[in-house]
C-alpha cells in the first residue's frame, strides 16, 4: 500500500511541463509597426492561461519587462538585416518559464527570440548554460538543436534589458501535431530515432556532475573539450518551489555520491530556511489527514543522508555522468511532416543537466505512457476479460494496451542497441532508486510516506545490492515501537490526503487545472467547481469551527 502511493508522489517527475520553447501553434499577438512593439503589454506578460491559486504571484514571476524594439534590432542584425526590415513580431503561446517570439523579415527570413521569465532560473547561469548546451549537442553530439545567432546572459549589460537568445527557426512540425494519427509502427519508428540520439548523447562521458557552460563564462578552469566546462546545476529541482532564491551547494560535483548528498542537504536547507513550505500538488492536507512537519521532513532527510551511499547502484557504469535533454515531450520534437521518423529539431535545452545515467533513463515523455511500471522485456498482456467490459472500459483498456506495447517496443529496442541505458532503466525499478527519487522533493511533500518506507527498509536492508557490496553493514538508524506506530499513523493520514486530492481531481475531470493553470475562458467555471468541491470534501472532515478554519487556511486554491 505504501509503495503504491509512494510512486504517486514521485510521479511528478514524469509529468511534462507546458512547452518552454517555441510552438508551431497559432501565435497570440502580432504588430507590424516598426519600433512600436513596446506598446503592447501582452508581449511581456503571461497570457496563455490563468492560475487557480496565488495568481498574482504566479503572474508576477512570469512577467518580463524589456525593450522589444532593441530585441528586434538585434534579431535583424543577426541575419544581416536592419530594424526597418523587420516586418512582423509575433508571440508564441507562453511557456511556463520563457517567452518566445517569431521575427519575420521583409525577405521572409524567420528567426526566434527567447526571453527567460524570472522563474526560469538564476540570472546569468540559466542562459549561459542553455547556449553552451545547444552548441555542444549540435556540434559535438550530432543532435539537431537550434543554431544560436546571438545571445546575452547579462541583462544589465545590453540595451534589451533582459537575457535573451536569438536562434534559427526550426523546420518541420511539432511531433504533437501528427502523433495522434500515427499508427504504432510509425510511432515506434519515431521512438527509434530518438533512441539513436540518446545513444549519441552517451558518446561523451563527463567527469563531473552539474550543467554545461562555456569555459569563458565560469570563474574557474576545469575545461572539457577546450571551450566547455561543467558548472553549477541549472536543473529544475534546484529552482522550483522557492528553491531558486535559497543558498545551498549547486555543484559541480566530482562523484555521484557527492551529488546525491547535495540533493539531501539542499532539501534540508530549504525546509529549514523557507518562511512558508510549498503547497503540495498531490495531497490535500488538513484536520483528519496528516499535518506536514518541518521536523519530520528534516528527520527523513537525515536518514536519507545516512543511507544514500548504500542506495547507489553497484554497477558503476550506470552512475556515469552524461548530458541529456530534460524534457522529451512532443512539443519539443520537430519532425518531417511526411516522414515523422526524420527528426528535424529538438528544442528547449534550458535546465539541461549532466547527471548519472540512471537519473536520465526515464521513458521519453512523448511516448505518453503513465501506466503500471514495466520491467524486463516481456510484452504486455491483453485483458482476458475484455469482452465483459462495457464500451468505455474497452476503449480505455485498448488505449492502455497500445501504450504499453509501444513502451515495451522502446524498451526492447533500447536493450538491443543501447544495453547500458537499458540497465539504467531497470535500476529505476528497484527499491534503491525509489528511495533516492522519493527524497529529492521532500521539501514539497512525502516525508510521512518516506519515513514509512524507511521503516520497511529495516526488513529489506540486507537484500539491497549496495549493502551487500559494502560487506553488509548494519542499518544506520532504528525506530522504537512507539516511533513505528506514529510513523504508520502519519502514513495513513498522508494516504488519505492523497486520496482526497485524487477525488478532487476526478470531480473536475477534463477541467482539472494541470499545474494550476486553466484557459482564461474556463477560469470562473473551474473556480466555482473548486469551491463546491471544497464544501463537499471539507464538510465531513471539519468537526469543529477550529477544524473548519484550519481547512480554510490549508485549502490550496485561493485567489
Amino acid at each position: 500500500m505504501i509503495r503504491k502511493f509512494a510512486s504517486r508522489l514521485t510521479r511528478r517527475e514524469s509529468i511534462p511541463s507546458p512547452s518552454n520553447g517555441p510552438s508551431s501553434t497559432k501565435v497570440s499577438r502580432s504588430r507590424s509597426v516598426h519600433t512600436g512593439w513596446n506598446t503592447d503589454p501582452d508581449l511581456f506578460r503571461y497570457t496563455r492561461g490563468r492560475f487557480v491559486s496565488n495568481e498574482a504571484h504566479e503572474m508576477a514571476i512570469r512577467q518580463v519587462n524589456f525593450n522589444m524594439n532593441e530585441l528586434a534590432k538585434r534579431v535583424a542584425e543577426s541575419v544581416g538585416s536592419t530594424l526597418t526590415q523587420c516586418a512582423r513580431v509575433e508571440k508564441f503561446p507562453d511557456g511556463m518559464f520563457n517567452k518566445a517570439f517569431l521575427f519575420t523579415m521583409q525577405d521572409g527570413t524567420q528567426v526566434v527570440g527567447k526571453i527567460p521569465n524570472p522563474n526560469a532560473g538564476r540570472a546569468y547561469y540559466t542562459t549561459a548554460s542553455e547556449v553552451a548546451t545547444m552548441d555542444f549537442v549540435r556540434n559535438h553530439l550530432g543532435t539537431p538543436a537550434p543554431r544560436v545567432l546571438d545571445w546575452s546572459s547579462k541583462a544589465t549589460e545590453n540595451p534589451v534589458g533582459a537575457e535573451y537568445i536569438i536562434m534559427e527557426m526550426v523546420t518541420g512540425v511539432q511531433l504533437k501535431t501528427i502523433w495522434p494519427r500515427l499508427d504504432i509502427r510509425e510511432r515506434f519508428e519515431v521512438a527509434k530515432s530518438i533512441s539513436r540520439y540518446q545513444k549519441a548523447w552517451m558518446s561523451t562521458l563527463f567527469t563531473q556532475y552539474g550543467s554545461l557552460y562555456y569555459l569563458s563564462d565560469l570563474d574557474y578552469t576545469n575545461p572539457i573539450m577546450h571551450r566547455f566546462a561543467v558548472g553549477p546545476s541549472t536543473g529544475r529541482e534546484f529552482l522550483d518551489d522557492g528553491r531558486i532564491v535559497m543558498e545551498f551547494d549547486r555543484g559541480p560535483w566530482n562523484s555521484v555520491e557527492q551529488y546525491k548528498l547535495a540533493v539531501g542537504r539542499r532539501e534540508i536547507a530549504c525546509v529549514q530556511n523557507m518562511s512558508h513550505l510549498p503547497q503540495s500538488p498531490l495531497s490535500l492536507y488538513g484536520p483528519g489527514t496528516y499535518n506536514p512537519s518541518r521536523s519530520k521532513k528534516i528527520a527523513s532527510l537525515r536518514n536519507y543522508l545516512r543511507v544514500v551511499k548504500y542506495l547507489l547502484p553497484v554497477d558503476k557504469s550506470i552512475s556515469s555522468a552524461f548530458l541529456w535533454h530534460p524534457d522529451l515531450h512532443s512539443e519539443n520534437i520537430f519532425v518531417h511532416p511526411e516522414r515523422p521518423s526524420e527528426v528535424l529539431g529538438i528544442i528547449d535545452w534550458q535546465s539541461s543537466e549532466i547527471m548519472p545515467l540512471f537519473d536520465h533513463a526515464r521513458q521519453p515523455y512523448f511516448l505518453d505512457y503513465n501506466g503500471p511500471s514495466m520491467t524486463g522485456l516481456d510484452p504486455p498482456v491483453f485483458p482476458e476479460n475484455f469482452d465483459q467490459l462495457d464500451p468505455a472500459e474497452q476503449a480505455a483498456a485498448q488505449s492502455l494496451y497500445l501504450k504499453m506495447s509501444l513502451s515495451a517496443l522502446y524498451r526492447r529496442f533500447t536493450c538491443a542497441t543501447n544495453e547500458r541505458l537499458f540497465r539504467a532503466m531497470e535500476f529505476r525499478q528497484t527499491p534503491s532508486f525509489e528511495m533516492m527519487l522519493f527524497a529529492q522533493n521532500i521539501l514539497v511533500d512525502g516525508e510521512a510516506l518516506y519515513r514509512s518506507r524507511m521503516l520497511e527498509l529495516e526488513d529489506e536492508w540486507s537484500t539491497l545490492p549496495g549493502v551487500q557490496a559494502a560487506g553488509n553493514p548494519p542499518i544506520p538508524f532504528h525506530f522504537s515501537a512507539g516511533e513505528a506506530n506514529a510513523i504508520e499513523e502519519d502514513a495513513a493520514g498522508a494516504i488519505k490526503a492523497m486520496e482526497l486530492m485524487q477525488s478532487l481531481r476526478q470531480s473536475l475531470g477534463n477541467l482539472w487545472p494541470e499545474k494550476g493553470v486553466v484557459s482564461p475562458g474556463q477560469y470562473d467555471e473551474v473556480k466555482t467547481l473548486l469551491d463546491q468541491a471544497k464544501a463537499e470534501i471539507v464538510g465531513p472532515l471539519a468537526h469543529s469551527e477550529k477544524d473548519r478554519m484550519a481547512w480554510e487556511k490549508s485549502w490550496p486554491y485561493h485567489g
Side-chain angles (χ1 to χ4, degrees):
M1 175 64 76
I2 293 297
R3 286 191 178 179
K4 172 185 175 183
F5 284 91
S7 67
R8 199 172 299 159
L9 276 171
T10 58
R11 196 171 294 161
R12 181 175 189 265
E13 67 150 6
S14 66
I15 300 174
S17 302
S19 177
N20 299 333
S23 161
S24 63
T25 55
K26 185 180 71 174
V27 295
S28 63
R29 184 72 61 168
S30 70
R31 185 174 290 267
S32 58
V33 180
H34 302 305
T35 73
W37 293 296
N38 287 332
T39 62
D40 186 349
D42 283 354
L43 295 177
F44 310 101
R45 63 191 182 194
Y46 184 83
T47 56
R48 189 172 188 171
R50 292 192 62 183
F51 294 86
V52 296
S53 180
N54 204 6
E55 185 170 40
H57 169 74
E58 297 293 344
M59 289 295 190
I61 63 176
R62 293 171 176 84
Q63 170 91 24
V64 188
N65 298 315
F66 62 95
N67 192 323
M68 177 60 85
N69 298 330
E70 287 291 341
L71 181 61
K73 180 180 179 182
R74 266 146 188 75
V75 167
E77 291 172 348
S78 73
V79 292
S81 299
T82 65
L83 180 58
T84 57
Q85 293 173 311
C86 183
R88 190 165 65 251
V89 178
E90 301 169 281
K91 182 186 179 187
F92 288 104
D94 285 284
M96 292 295 278
F97 304 108
N98 302 277
K99 289 175 175 40
F101 306 91
L102 179 63
F103 297 84
T104 304
M105 303 298 123
Q106 289 177 349
D107 64 359
T109 301
Q110 292 188 314
V111 181
V112 172
K114 180 177 179 180
I115 301 280
N117 294 335
N119 68 332
R122 294 198 302 158
Y124 177 76
Y125 292 100
T126 300
T127 298
S129 180
E130 182 176 5
V131 170
T133 298
M134 285 194 288
D135 182 350
F136 190 86
V137 300
R138 178 184 175 88
N139 294 304
H140 294 278
L141 300 182
T143 301
R147 186 167 71 93
V148 175
L149 305 175
D150 187 21
W151 65 283
S152 174
S153 59
K154 298 179 180 179
T156 60
E157 297 182 14
N158 69 67
V160 175
E163 299 178 35
Y164 65 83
I165 302 175
I166 299 169
M167 56 193 129
E168 290 180 335
M169 179 70 176
V170 174
T171 60
V173 298
Q174 283 181 310
L175 179 60
K176 77 167 188 176
T177 64
I178 63 172
W179 185 259
R181 68 172 184 261
L182 301 182
D183 60 30
I184 190 170
R185 180 189 60 80
E186 293 170 316
R187 292 182 180 188
F188 181 41
E189 290 302 315
V190 176
K192 289 197 291 185
S193 296
I194 295 298
S195 185
R196 294 184 187 104
Y197 285 118
Q198 291 177 322
K199 188 169 185 178
W201 301 341
M202 292 172 60
S203 65
T204 297
L205 176 65
F206 294 84
T207 58
Q208 290 182 301
Y209 303 81
S211 288
L212 192 66
Y213 299 82
Y214 290 124
L215 180 61
S216 58
D217 288 328
L218 296 175
D219 294 332
Y220 52 89
T221 55
N222 187 14
I224 55 169
M225 298 188 71
H226 310 295
R227 295 190 301 126
F228 299 92
V230 181
S233 173
T234 61
R236 294 246 55 93
E237 280 184 11
F238 288 83
L239 303 168
D240 289 345
D241 300 303
R243 297 181 183 93
I244 189 172
V245 297
M246 305 304 294
E247 292 295 327
F248 48 77
D249 179 13
R250 298 177 184 272
W253 304 278
N254 295 320
S255 71
V256 65
E257 184 175 346
Q258 283 184 7
Y259 167 57
K260 288 301 180 181
L261 287 170
V263 168
R265 291 167 182 155
R266 174 197 75 202
E267 295 296 275
I268 289 175
C270 292
V271 171
Q272 289 177 328
N273 297 311
M274 282 187 179
S275 58
H276 296 90
L277 293 176
Q279 288 274 6
S280 168
L282 299 173
S283 306
L284 285 176
Y285 291 122
T289 70
Y290 171 72
N291 183 32
S293 164
R294 289 183 194 260
S295 62
K296 291 173 183 177
K297 288 179 185 289
I298 291 171
S300 300
L301 290 162
R302 285 177 176 161
N303 279 340
Y304 162 81
L305 294 177
R306 293 184 181 106
V307 303
V308 66
K309 67 180 179 181
Y310 303 113
L311 302 177
L312 296 171
V314 176
D315 179 359
K316 303 299 183 185
S317 70
I318 64 173
S319 295
S320 301
F322 295 103
L323 178 64
W324 216 260
H325 191 284
D327 198 8
L328 282 171
H329 65 71
S330 59
E331 287 190 358
N332 287 337
I333 300 170
F334 284 72
V335 299
H336 192 288
E338 304 301 327
R339 300 184 297 278
S341 64
E342 185 179 335
V343 177
L344 301 178
I346 301 177
I347 67 169
D348 194 10
W349 293 85
Q350 188 180 83
S351 304
S352 295
E353 292 179 278
I354 297 165
M355 291 199 301
L357 181 61
F358 63 77
D359 276 336
H360 290 311
R362 56 181 175 262
Q363 181 173 265
Y365 298 133
F366 72 88
L367 293 181
D368 191 28
Y369 176 67
N370 197 23
S373 297
M374 300 183 67
T375 59
L377 297 173
D378 292 336
V381 177
F382 199 72
E384 293 182 359
N385 66 334
F386 183 79
D387 292 337
Q388 284 73 53
L389 302 177
D390 64 39
E393 291 173 330
Q394 286 185 340
Q398 192 167 35
S399 175
L400 177 61
Y401 177 76
L402 290 174
K403 290 180 179 181
M404 292 181 73
S405 297
L406 181 59
S407 177
L409 288 170
Y410 168 77
R411 291 173 58 80
R412 293 178 70 89
F413 183 77
T414 301
C415 181
T417 61
N418 194 351
E419 197 264 341
R420 186 181 192 177
L421 179 59
F422 181 76
R423 282 187 278 116
M425 292 167 61
E426 290 291 274
F427 175 71
R428 292 176 66 88
Q429 305 300 320
T430 65
S432 294
F433 178 78
E434 176 191 54
M435 295 303 293
M436 286 191 287
L437 177 63
F438 207 177
Q440 65 194 32
N441 199 42
I442 281 182
L443 165 68
V444 181
D445 204 356
E447 72 274 9
L449 296 186
Y450 195 77
R451 282 161 61 82
S452 184
R453 279 296 290 120
M454 284 290 184
L455 195 61
E456 295 174 355
L457 198 64
E458 287 191 285
D459 295 329
E460 302 170 3
W461 182 251
S462 63
T463 67
L464 297 182
V467 173
Q468 296 171 350
N472 293 301
I475 192 167
F477 57 83
H478 175 71
F479 298 108
S480 69
E483 289 173 326
N485 289 335
I487 287 171
E488 292 294 13
E489 184 177 338
D490 285 346
I495 289 172
K496 185 173 184 179
M498 295 181 72
E499 289 173 337
L500 288 175
M501 181 64 85
Q502 186 177 27
S503 174
L504 176 63
R505 182 173 188 141
Q506 290 174 344
S507 71
L508 268 72
N510 293 333
L511 290 175
W512 176 252
E514 195 66 56
K515 295 191 175 293
V517 183
V518 296
S519 67
Q522 295 176 330
Y523 177 80
D524 291 336
E525 181 182 4
V526 171
K527 290 290 283 186
T528 298
L529 290 172
L530 287 170
D531 288 341
Q532 293 172 351
K534 180 174 71 171
E536 295 171 3
I537 289 172
V538 172
L541 295 171
H543 302 298
S544 66
E545 180 62 16
K546 182 180 178 181
D547 284 354
R548 190 194 66 77
M549 292 178 65
W551 267 109
E552 190 67 34
K553 183 178 179 180
S554 66
W555 186 256
Y557 302 108
H558 295 293

